[in-house]
Amino acid sequence: MSTESDLQAMSKHLVSLPPEEFAAAMLQWMFLQFLSKKGLREMTVALPGGIFTIGEGDPLERLRAARFVLDQEISMLERNRPA
């Protein structure tokens, strides 16, 4: 069980991380503590410094699925962009 000093040390460590690493740590925590328990089985997020992916199955397949979704979103935005 964590003590108050352990929690404070972890908090200081987390806020000292670069923004992308902090975001990945928070996303991992949210996924493990809440999202997976609500039924989300995988998650892939594009961050400025790279890709964060977590969940069931093959990470390469999760990335391919994310690329497909991104390609669809880009295509839609390109079609709807004012001339």
Side-chain angles (χ1 to χ4, degrees):
M1 182 135 197
S2 296
T3 66
E4 183 67 26
S5 63
D6 292 337
L7 292 173
Q8 287 179 356
M10 179 56 76
S11 296
K12 286 180 183 180
H13 169 71
L14 288 172
V15 297
S16 73
L17 294 173
E20 290 83 7
E21 289 181 42
F22 178 78
M26 292 294 96
L27 290 167
Q28 181 179 16
W29 176 76
M30 285 176 45
F31 182 83
L32 295 172
Q33 293 297 316
F34 304 107
L35 301 173
S36 64
K37 293 175 183 174
K38 291 295 253 175
L40 189 65
R41 295 288 163 233
E42 59 186 49
M43 180 172 69
T44 301
V45 179
L47 298 167
I51 301 293
F52 171 81
T53 186
I54 189 170
E56 297 175 354
D58 182 5
L60 183 57
E61 291 304 315
R62 289 196 305 269
L63 290 173
R64 286 184 178 134
R67 181 173 56 190
F68 177 77
V69 171
L70 283 170
D71 287 343
Q72 287 183 315
E73 184 70 15
I74 290 167
S75 178
M76 184 197 64
L77 289 172
E78 287 174 342
R79 283 192 310 272
N80 295 323
R81 178 174 263 175

